[in-house]
Amino acid sequence: MNGSLRWRIILTLVVLLLGAAYVLPSLPSVQKTALSRFLPEDKISLGLDLKGGIHLTLGVDVKKALDNTLVRVGDDLRAVARDEGVMVLKPKVLGGDKLEAILLKKEQQQALEEILEKQFNYLNVESKVDAQGGKIKYVFTPSPEYKKFFAKQTLDQAVKTIRNRIDEFGVSEPDIRKQQSSNRILVQLPGLNDPERAIKIIGKTAHLEFKMVDDSVDMAKAEKGLIPPGRELTVIRHRLADGSYSEKPIVVRSEAVLTGDYITDAQTRFDQFNQPYVSMSFNGRGGKIFERITGENVKKRMAIVLDGKVYSAPVIQDRISGGKASITGSFSTDEAHDLAIVLRAGSLPAPVKILEQRTVGPSLGQESISKGVTAAVVGSALVLIFMLVYYGFAGLVADIVLVINVLLILAGLAAFGATLTLPGLAGIILTIGMAVDANVIIFERIREEIRRGLTARAAVGEGYSRATLTILDANLTTVIAAVILYQFGTGPVRGFAVTLTLGIVSSMFTAIFVSRILFDLYNSKRAADAPLSI
């Protein structure tokens, strides 16, 4: 055995061992054995069509997001005008995407309109009328171009936030797509064990605010609707021993002193009573704001409000520096963990509503797997028998590399964390056919060289030399097509592209490299002029 052949055998054995190491963890019979402790944790993930899971259609309330943005735009307009010496009353949002602002001094009209033109040119003046006391009432509407841009931006941000939450939740290969024309997002979560919990995480807006509690308000009057200006009645949650929640009314100041926009991290922690809570870290600016607020409100209660509900309202004992805060709200461990997830992933730009929910049952997935496996086994068996009968020893070589090829494809799926779907199964079966094609091209070349009078050893060398370039050219174009499918496709189409690409790379390695080793080993033990069964 020459040195080149020895190194090629060693390399092939290393690849085979790695392939087996990544395939074995996916076998149920291996998963609970002592061997599993020495194997990688990566397994072959099955897609929604094979494993079952949930399919959600989410409707994004873009109008609500636009209203929230108009509130911020109004505050910005008032702040910019004040810096320029122009007095504007606090703007308010009207129905129909309109923003109303009142200029206090008519003589400042030109100055205000210059500010609008320079910094708020996406607002159109729908009406401008004189009001009592020399005031001017403006009504603005966002331009159509801004509305279109805003809707796209809102959907993009919602998809990003939902993807971050799903990734944190630990679902592999989720399929999340937006439908721009209908403000909808499609979500597919394969193999989910707790769909209701995932739905809660996805749908939570997670708008976090810190508001000061007003304990001076008479609660009896507040519950009758007699609330002082600048205050609002809400509820504080308390978890009972049986896991349910009670809600008590509480009055807080309407204006938030700090929001969750400054959060950089959130983690689940446990106090001395083993009660879970959520610890948060603010960025530099948020930390300074939080320190100032706590310093100015010592011995007062601060409410931590998430999506309009107060989770806790602790008394501030001292100025809190260091940019950290916590939410202690009688959580279960799962609830604290889920809250930390949505705070880390950021708040949704708009409320989302589940328009459609479908569950793909595991029985359908198992049936699909069984049929796909049956098709693959029957097809492969026919191919193996045909190659053995038609090419003799060479057919046996083709059969061996075909089995290795399938092993490496499955190992690649597990190692790269790709998801196996029904189209993916089709990709594997297609790859098996392509791998056989490569062997057929090589074998026919070898036959031609033998008919020309070359010895078996020389014919093998010439056959591989001449056929390799042809095989590489043919597979390269398929790889390019697979890359395009992956780039522009979604869900199952991407799964097909991944398995096809893995299959092509694997088939070229086995058909060109591994099968040549088997021929060289076979010929090295025989006389130079011995005939070859092909």
Side-chain angles (χ1 to χ4, degrees), residues 63-79 89-94 97-101 120 122-123 142 146 150 207 209 254-256:
K63 184 180 181 309
K64 177 66 176 176
L66 184 58
D67 286 347
N68 293 338
T69 298
L70 285 178
V71 172
R72 289 196 293 272
V73 169
D75 291 341
D76 291 344
L77 173 60
R78 188 186 184 199
L89 288 179
K90 184 177 176 60
K92 61 180 180 181
V93 177
L94 308 176
D97 306 333
K98 297 176 183 176
L99 179 68
E100 180 188 273
F120 299 91
Y122 52 88
L123 293 178
Y146 179 79
F150 182 82
H207 183 57
E209 298 171 299
S254 302
E255 188 173 352

Side-chain angles (χ1 to χ4, degrees), residues 26 43-47 50-51 172-173 413-414 417-421:
S26 300
K43 299 175 186 174
I44 299 173
S45 301
L46 301 181
L50 295 179
K51 193 174 184 179
S172 61
E173 294 290 326
L413 287 173
T419 300
L420 181 61
T421 60

